[in-house]
Amino acid sequence: MRKKIVAGNWKMNCDITQTYELLDQLKEKELSDDVEVIVAPPFTNLQSANQALLDTDILVAAQNMHQVANGAFTGEISAGMLQSVGVSTVILGHSERRAMFWETNELLASKVNTALENDMTVIFCFGEELEDRKSDNHFNVVKEQLEEGLYHIEAASWSHIVLAYEPVWAIGTGETASPEQAQEMHSFIRRTIADKYSSDIAQEVSILYGGSVKPGNAKEIFGKPDVDGGLIGGASLKADDFAAIVNAFE
Ligand code: PGA
């Protein structure tokens, strides 16, 4: 049975005080036992967040990492460094990393390799731009992102992969893909995995939807058969909203 997952991508928000406040509020919420809950604070707060959440089932993820183990890479953080503060999940390929920090599919493929070599779980993000959808090219773009960034991994590594389909036009815009659009793409993604690997792998992998998920639309989106949860940006910064999204599964 594949897992239901709700992950909060805090992006560049929350200093250490705000991190403790938000986590304290979250710890007071009733969160569904059926759902794996993940929060991804900024690098500086990962260790503190991990310690604050030790007595809970909430996992801590990083928002990015470098592909090399160590060396002269000013400003970068390695997989080993994340592991050393107890973080073994990493978000890779977020559209903001792709668009603002020039992360290519090729670079992401090497980050994925490093994460897997270090026994980490990868939340692999991808999704089309508005022009791709308007020109009916969205399936091709998504397929290419997956083929170039991820589909080189061995079948056995899929147990360390979570997918996050995030149409760029829906991120932080208030515009959400309709539940039908999300379902259509998620089922397409599963088909491409089945073609390349096997239908068992395709059925086992969790595929999250991301892009303006809110308490008001989560239930309908998560109700679709191929949507296994969400990657949540803005709404993950409010404990009430994030908890409501975690609890939005039927
Ligand atoms: P959003 O962000 O929920 O604020 O649209 C989603 C994301 O960037 O992962």
Side-chain angles (χ1 to χ4, degrees), residues 2 155 158 187 189-207 226:
R2 58 187 187 243
W158 275 88
S187 113
I189 294 160
R190 255 186 242 290
R191 278 202 305 280
T192 70
I193 301 170
D195 288 347
K196 169 82 189 172
Y197 290 90
S198 69
S199 56
D200 281 356
I201 290 177
Q203 285 310 315
E204 277 302 304
V205 67
S206 297
I207 309 180
D226 285 301

Side-chain angles (χ1 to χ4, degrees), residues 16 25 46 74 84 88 95 100 105 124 132 136 142 146 152 167 170 177 211 235 237 245 247 250:
I16 190 66
Q25 289 164 9
L46 290 175
T74 301
S84 75
S88 45
S95 68
M100 293 186 237
N105 291 334
F124 187 83
D132 302 322
D136 208 19
V142 160
L146 289 168
H152 61 282
L237 299 172
I245 293 169
N247 294 330
E250 292 277 78

Side-chain angles (χ1 to χ4, degrees), residues 23-72:
L23 294 179
D24 281 346
Q25 289 164 9
L26 213 51
K27 282 165 77 171
E28 279 168 18
K29 304 284 175 202
E30 278 298 325
L31 300 175
S32 165
D33 288 339
D34 281 355
V35 181
E36 185 168 288
V37 181
I38 302 174
V39 291
F43 283 133
T44 49
N45 306 340
L46 290 175
Q47 186 173 17
S48 312
N50 227 348
Q51 274 164 3
L53 294 171
L54 273 184
D55 54 345
T56 73
D57 292 327
I58 303 174
L59 297 175
V60 175
Q63 299 173 17
N64 179 33
M65 57 162 234
H66 197 265
Q67 66 277 18
V68 168
N70 56 270

Side-chain angles (χ1 to χ4, degrees), residues 9 11 94-96 166 170-174 210-214 231-235:
N9 174 12
K11 309 191 179 183
H94 190 278
S95 68
E96 285 149 21
E166 301 200 300
I171 296 179
T173 57
S212 300
V213 178
K214 305 274 182 277
L231 181 57
I232 318 301

Side-chain angles (χ1 to χ4, degrees), residues 96-116:
E96 285 149 21
R97 301 290 324 166
R98 291 174 185 264
M100 293 186 237
F101 302 96
W102 313 286
E103 294 200 0
T104 60
N105 291 334
E106 193 188 0
L107 172 73
L108 291 167
S110 99
K111 290 192 178 199
V112 165
N113 292 345
T114 303
L116 293 174

